[in-house]
Amino acid sequence: MAKPKEDFSLKQTKPNISGSKNTTGPLRPHDLVEQMQFMFVKILKAKDLVGPDGPDTCDPYVEIILGNCKGTTKIFEKKSSPEWNQVFAFKKERIQTTTLETVVRDKLNEVSDEMIGKVKFNIGDVPMRVQPDSPLAPQWYRLEDKNGVKLGAGELMLSVWMGTQADEAFSEAWISDAAESAGTAYTRSKIYHSPRLWYLRVNVIQGQDLVFRDKNRKNPEIFVRGTLGNLVLRSRSSPNKNENPMWNEDMMFVAAEPFEEPLVLSVEDKLNPNKEESVCLGRVVIPLQNVMKRVDNAPASARWYNLERPEIAGENKEQKEVTFASKLNARISLDGGYHVLDEATNYSSDLRSTVQLLWRPNIGLLELGILNATGLPVMKGKEKRTDAYCVAKYASKWVRTRTILDSLAPQWNEQFSWDVYDLCTVLTIGVFDNGHIQAGDMAGKAFHPRIGKVRIRLSTLESNRIYTYSYPLVVLQSSGVKKMGEIQLAVRFSCASFFDTLQNYTQPLLPKMHYLNPLSVYQLDSLRHQAAFITSLRLSRAEPPLRKEIVDYMLDVGSNMWSIRRAKANYDRILDLLSGIFALIKWFEQIRNWKSPAATMAFYFLFLVVVFVPKLTLSTIFLVLFLVGVWRCIKRPRHPPHLDAKLSHVDTTNEEELDEEFDPLPSKKTGEVLKRRYDRLRGIAGRMQVVLGDLATQGERVQSLLSWRDPRATMIFVCFCLVACFVTYVTPFRYVLILSMTYVLRHPRFRVGFPSVVQNFLRRLPARTDSML
């Protein structure tokens, strides 16, 4: 029985959200998500608690009991008046009782405790708080014993109310569907911000009065090594083989605020040309806090830095810094006029410069409602459970929903917003399984496997319209493509000014520094990996951390790796791009061959109209484009684009191609596998280079018409141009066009079955292929 084909399509949904009911009124918070009812219990403090041996002899904590749901505060040792100030939220749908109990207990040991007193509430009497009401005032309640009798001492201050996820207490609350005794801190909703990144430009100019270890050293290979944190770059060797080397070379780093690591420049002499062994002739440590920050293309001022050389002295090998007369001349600056790319270029969510003064005003507001997911797979095989959460990234702001425990259909219903500065940006949403849950002592090293990802380009969204769709979560694994469920989102872009939004299309995509002093493709690629590494490192130090695998997946760190699947997909994209030209040529051939005499006569009539009334030519073209645009507006796409399995060739790829795509760099394969893989690569690349080569050849043949590479062909063309000049001078241009088109559209019975003279002539022209090896 054949395996059923998975559905990777986008589905429109109709969630019960208030924003879709009132799209013209003022925007309200949390109107893109479904309202979820919670019972909030805020435990503030207690007083006059009596332990078994009197006051200050108990270790109190509070246990909130709501049917099968329980929440526990932290424990205070030997304290009769503890202050907890903790909030608990219980999902209304899971409440299976009519009574709420808050029990104050004394922790006797690891396995037992004793009840000090309790307070009971009838759930039907709990008040409802509706935003934006003020918080409910807490009250003191006298504790009762097991039989409901008031105790002589002991009171508990708390407040209980019903509310929704819009309540300000929700973000810091212990939530029944997203928390358990271990790992509660890793399940709450959080907001992160990427570090502020700068390009650090180090232009090493020259050295002066270097001192060599070997007094008789000849032809030294002197270079500069730059170190910033874990990144090491080096310059080329100086062409000056003496103590005064010259370089005038740039080294580019990525630095993040706050600047923690200094820049270390060391001048080194390579001892052996065939080895990496070198000796340090001097170094300088430069704190980045003292480096000049620039926002324009004005060059930084050059400065001489005194070098220090580490010496080995004494039998204990202690390192001492000995100052001497060697110097290094360099220009060092933090370039804030660039946008530091840390994402894949095609999926960038932010194009602003580092310096905030250069930012343009925002053009609108992006709002995202993460509602729920369905059909998620089991990610923890042993426990047979999935603890899912979402991460959304736009610009420098990362958001993380709370983790829903042990659910294949989690409901988050959380809403977030971002300021928008450019529509040519992409919002990325990823779904992950929380590896911290049940990880125990290994929680800090727990792996968070990815479940799927969704990208939404803002320019495909209409202003002030709410998009509610269920997106497929598609992941490519070594075994093939797999649908990991669906996630339901609500997205809205609110336009602040329609004129500013239109004006945004006339502005350069990147800051001006990218055009005034452009960086090379190789520099941008290296700097992007540096930026992604720094972003991952800083976010992993937050609490709770965003782990490296999460940041790398959201930033598409490995998107530039070679893949036969991607190569074939891009090859088909090129052919599809050229298909329009081929279709036009095929259509014109049908006109020439009189497949439809009526169409040929109509075409010829329109051609005569253009010839005799030439002033209508451009207006006719623009009118046709206008009518085509209006016609296609009726059938315009109503939903934003999503990950297309067919376009990506993930539905037709085979195991060998996937094995190569998931093979790390350098490869772990050997022998026959690498040989077979290399042969397949040569075949794919060969077809691609043939297509590109053919396109280049045709262009070069046209260029060779006047290049005299073929003197006879060029002489023929030059003579033809001379004759054509006289003919077109004495003959009205319209008659030349009519005769030409009449000849081209002549009936097939008046033709011979051979290529035309023009085709034969062009095919005989030389191209630069003769000069290729």
Side-chain angles (χ1 to χ4, degrees):
M1 183 177 179
K3 183 179 178 181
K5 192 174 181 180
E6 291 186 298
D7 182 14
F8 297 113
S9 63
L10 195 67
K11 301 181 182 67
Q12 188 169 10
T13 60
K14 295 182 179 180
N16 184 23
I17 60 178
S18 58
S20 61
K21 300 174 183 177
N22 183 22
T23 57
T24 60
L27 304 182
R28 295 184 298 168
H30 291 80
D31 64 342
L32 294 185
V33 294
E34 297 180 352
Q35 297 297 319
M36 301 175 65
Q37 298 289 330
F38 288 89
M39 175 179 284
F40 291 91
V41 181
K42 186 173 184 179
I43 307 295
L44 282 89
K45 54 187 176 181
K47 64 180 180 180
D48 301 333
L49 300 181
V50 180
D53 299 324
D56 293 329
T57 61
C58 61
D59 301 332
Y61 70 95
V62 178
E63 183 180 32
I64 298 94
I65 304 174
L66 194 62
N68 295 327
C69 298
K70 293 183 180 181
T72 306
T73 66
K74 57 187 176 182
I75 302 174
F76 285 93
E77 295 184 1
K78 310 301 180 185
K79 198 166 186 179
S80 61
S81 298
E83 294 186 7
W84 292 284
N85 198 25
Q86 290 181 245
V87 183
F88 298 81
F90 298 89
K91 199 170 182 180
K92 186 177 180 180
E93 298 175 359
R94 297 188 179 183
I95 298 178
Q96 304 293 332
T97 182
T98 59
T99 304
L100 167 68
E101 293 187 1
T102 56
V103 183
V104 182
R105 299 185 183 276
D106 179 16
K107 189 68 176 177
L108 299 179
N109 50 54
E110 294 295 331
V111 296
S112 63
D113 53 26
E114 180 178 335
M115 187 182 80
I116 298 177
K118 65 179 181 179
V119 178
K120 296 180 64 175
F121 296 90
N122 187 349
I123 294 179
D125 298 333
V126 174
M128 180 72 187
R129 183 194 173 200
V130 180
Q131 292 288 335
D133 289 351
S134 299
L136 191 67
Q139 299 182 35
W140 285 104
Y141 294 89
R142 181 69 62 83
L143 296 179
E144 304 174 351
D145 60 12
K146 297 179 180 180
N147 301 320
V149 179
K150 300 290 184 182
L151 298 178
E155 293 183 70
L156 179 65
M157 177 181 280
L158 57 85
S159 58
V160 182
W161 72 95
M162 299 294 294
T164 66
Q165 72 269 37
D167 198 297
E168 65 268 12
F170 182 80
S171 60
E172 295 298 329
W174 180 101
I175 305 173
S176 59
D177 64 353
E180 55 186 26
S181 57
T184 301
Y186 297 100
T187 63
R188 289 175 175 164
S189 177
K190 294 293 180 181
I191 294 178
Y192 305 82
H193 283 275
S194 299
R196 192 180 190 186
L197 301 178
W198 295 75
Y199 281 151
L200 175 63
R201 186 186 298 270
V202 181
N203 177 237
V204 287
I205 304 173
Q206 60 179 329
Q208 188 179 73
D209 299 333
L210 298 182
V211 179
F212 300 105
R213 300 290 179 92
D214 184 1
K215 301 293 184 181
N216 299 321
R217 175 73 167 146
K218 295 182 179 180
N219 298 325
E221 297 286 336
I222 306 174
F223 63 92
V224 178
R225 187 191 303 273
T227 305
L228 182 65
N230 296 325
L231 183 67
V232 179
L233 299 177
R234 55 162 291 177
S235 70
R236 58 180 173 83
S237 297
S238 170
N240 296 11
K241 308 294 184 179
N242 53 39
E243 67 275 5
N244 297 315
M246 297 282 295
W247 298 283
N248 196 21
E249 182 178 347
D250 278 350
M251 291 187 290
M252 297 289 290
F253 298 86
V254 175
E257 291 185 347
F259 303 121
E260 299 176 348
E261 302 286 345
L263 172 66
V264 180
L265 297 179
S266 60
V267 182
E268 302 186 13
D269 180 14
K270 190 173 183 179
L271 300 179
N272 192 330
N274 300 322
K275 297 182 180 180
E276 292 299 323
E277 182 182 1
S278 62
V279 61
C280 180
L281 303 180
R283 71 169 191 170
V284 58
V285 179
I286 305 170
L288 296 187
Q289 291 84 349
N290 302 331
V291 173
M292 168 189 174
K293 295 179 180 179
R294 61 175 190 160
V295 298
D296 52 21
N297 202 27
S301 57
R303 178 181 172 186
W304 286 99
Y305 294 90
N306 294 321
L307 296 179
E308 296 178 341
R309 184 175 65 189
E311 296 286 352
I312 306 300
E315 296 181 356
N316 57 359
K317 306 296 182 182
E318 292 182 357
Q319 195 176 47
K320 297 182 179 179
E321 296 291 334
V322 181
T323 304
F324 59 114
S326 299
K327 294 183 178 182
L328 176 66
N329 191 14
R331 292 187 181 94
I332 304 176
S333 63
L334 289 164
D335 293 355
Y338 292 95
H339 167 66
V340 180
L341 292 166
D342 60 348
E343 306 168 275
T345 308
N346 295 332
Y347 311 126
S348 181
S349 64
D350 190 10
L351 301 170
R352 296 171 295 172
S353 60
T354 299
V355 176
Q356 191 171 355
L357 291 175
L358 301 179
W359 292 2
R360 294 191 292 266
N362 66 313
I363 60 174
L365 182 70
L366 172 65
E367 295 172 283
L368 170 68
I370 303 178
L371 284 80
N372 56 64
T374 57
L376 300 185
V378 174
M379 301 300 294
K380 297 181 175 69
K382 295 182 179 180
E383 296 86 1
K384 295 183 178 180
R385 60 183 289 173
T386 297
D387 306 307
Y389 67 94
C390 296
V391 174
K393 196 267 183 193
Y394 184 78
S396 62
K397 180 180 175 181
W398 300 63
V399 298
R400 172 176 175 167
T401 68
R402 70 187 191 279
T403 301
I404 305 299
L405 301 183
D406 194 15
S407 176
L408 303 183
Q411 293 183 353
W412 294 286
N413 284 300
E414 297 186 38
Q415 184 170 336
F416 308 95
S417 62
W418 293 265
D419 287 330
V420 177
Y421 294 85
D422 199 312
L423 280 180
C424 189
T425 46
V426 176
L427 168 68
T428 304
I429 305 102
V431 185
F432 302 89
D433 178 62
N434 197 328
H436 284 98
I437 306 302
Q438 298 184 344
D441 296 336
M442 299 297 291
K445 300 180 180 180
F447 183 76
H448 291 226
R450 62 194 186 193
I451 298 178
K453 180 167 58 179
V454 174
R455 298 192 195 99
I456 302 175
R457 185 171 292 276
L458 268 61
S459 59
T460 63
L461 305 178
E462 298 178 10
S463 299
N464 303 314
R465 175 187 166 187
I466 298 177
Y467 290 82
T468 54
Y469 287 92
S470 181
Y471 293 81
L473 297 172
V474 183
V475 170
L476 184 63
Q477 301 176 341
S478 57
S479 57
V481 64
K482 186 177 180 181
K483 182 179 179 180
M484 308 287 279
E486 297 182 356
I487 181 171
Q488 186 176 355
L489 304 174
V491 184
R492 174 175 58 201
F493 168 68
S494 304
C495 176
S497 171
F498 183 69
F499 176 78
D500 291 342
T501 304
L502 294 182
Q503 188 183 24
N504 183 252
Y505 283 88
T506 65
Q507 302 296 325
L509 190 64
L510 293 170
K512 293 181 179 179
M513 277 291 288
H514 286 270
Y515 307 99
L516 297 176
N517 192 5
L519 303 174
S520 68
V521 175
Y522 301 103
Q523 280 181 309
L524 288 175
D525 189 59
S526 172
L527 293 171
R528 186 172 77 85
H529 283 85
Q530 291 184 44
F533 176 78
I534 293 175
T535 301
S536 173
L537 187 65
R538 290 292 179 91
L539 292 179
S540 65
R541 291 162 55 183
E543 186 63 34
L546 274 182
R547 289 186 50 83
K548 184 178 185 300
E549 62 267 18
I550 299 173
V551 178
D552 289 351
Y553 184 54
M554 297 291 289
L555 296 180
D556 292 285
V557 169
S559 60
N560 60 342
M561 296 291 291
W562 163 257
S563 165
I564 285 184
R565 174 188 61 82
R566 289 197 192 100
K568 292 196 297 185
N570 289 329
Y571 176 76
D572 286 347
R573 289 173 61 197
I574 294 176
L575 294 182
D576 187 59
L577 186 64
L578 299 175
S579 63
I581 301 175
F582 297 149
L584 185 62
I585 296 174
K586 184 178 179 181
W587 170 78
F588 188 72
E589 284 296 321
Q590 292 176 351
I591 294 293
R592 288 187 66 239
N593 293 323
W594 292 69
K595 294 293 184 181
S596 174
T600 303
M601 295 299 296
F603 177 83
Y604 191 64
F605 174 76
L606 290 176
F607 170 74
L608 293 178
V609 172
V610 170
V611 170
F612 285 100
V613 193
K615 63 181 182 180
L616 297 179
T617 303
L618 288 178
S619 58
T620 303
I621 293 174
F622 287 122
L623 178 61
V624 170
L625 294 176
F626 169 77
L627 294 176
V628 171
V630 172
W631 173 254
R632 291 188 176 182
C633 178
I634 302 174
K635 299 181 179 180
R636 69 184 185 275
R638 297 291 181 176
H639 57 78
H642 64 289
L643 298 179
D644 191 338
K646 184 177 181 180
L647 178 66
S648 306
H649 279 219
V650 293
D651 55 342
T652 58
T653 187
N654 55 51
E655 293 184 1
E656 282 197 47
E657 294 176 355
L658 290 174
D659 183 60
E660 179 189 21
E661 186 165 343
F662 284 89
D663 190 19
L665 188 69
S667 175
K668 293 184 178 180
K669 305 295 181 180
T670 58
E672 190 64 29
V673 176
L674 280 183
K675 180 179 179 297
R676 186 170 63 251
R677 185 174 295 173
Y678 178 63
D679 291 340
R680 188 168 61 248
L681 170 62
R682 291 171 64 190
I684 295 291
R687 290 199 295 271
M688 295 180 65
Q689 78 175 17
V690 166
V691 173
L692 297 177
D694 289 343
L695 293 175
T697 298
Q698 302 305 322
E700 289 168 355
R701 283 173 176 168
V702 175
Q703 287 181 340
S704 67
L705 285 171
L706 294 173
S707 68
W708 293 91
R709 296 287 296 174
D710 184 343
R712 286 165 293 277
T714 303
M715 183 182 65
I716 293 172
F717 181 70
V718 169
C719 293
F720 169 78
C721 291
L722 179 63
V723 174
C725 176
F726 284 106
V727 172
T728 54
Y729 178 76
V730 299
T731 307
F733 182 65
R734 66 181 63 179
Y735 296 117
V736 175
L737 285 179
I738 291 173
L739 290 175
S740 301
M741 187 58 68
T742 303
Y743 175 78
V744 170
L745 294 180
R746 69 192 185 280
H747 199 275
R749 71 179 63 180
F750 301 113
R751 302 179 196 169
V752 293
F754 298 103
S756 66
V757 175
V758 176
Q759 289 177 312
N760 294 331
F761 182 75
L762 287 176
R763 288 175 181 173
R764 291 177 179 273
L765 291 175
R768 300 178 68 183
T769 53
D770 303 331
S771 302
M772 293 186 64
L773 295 176

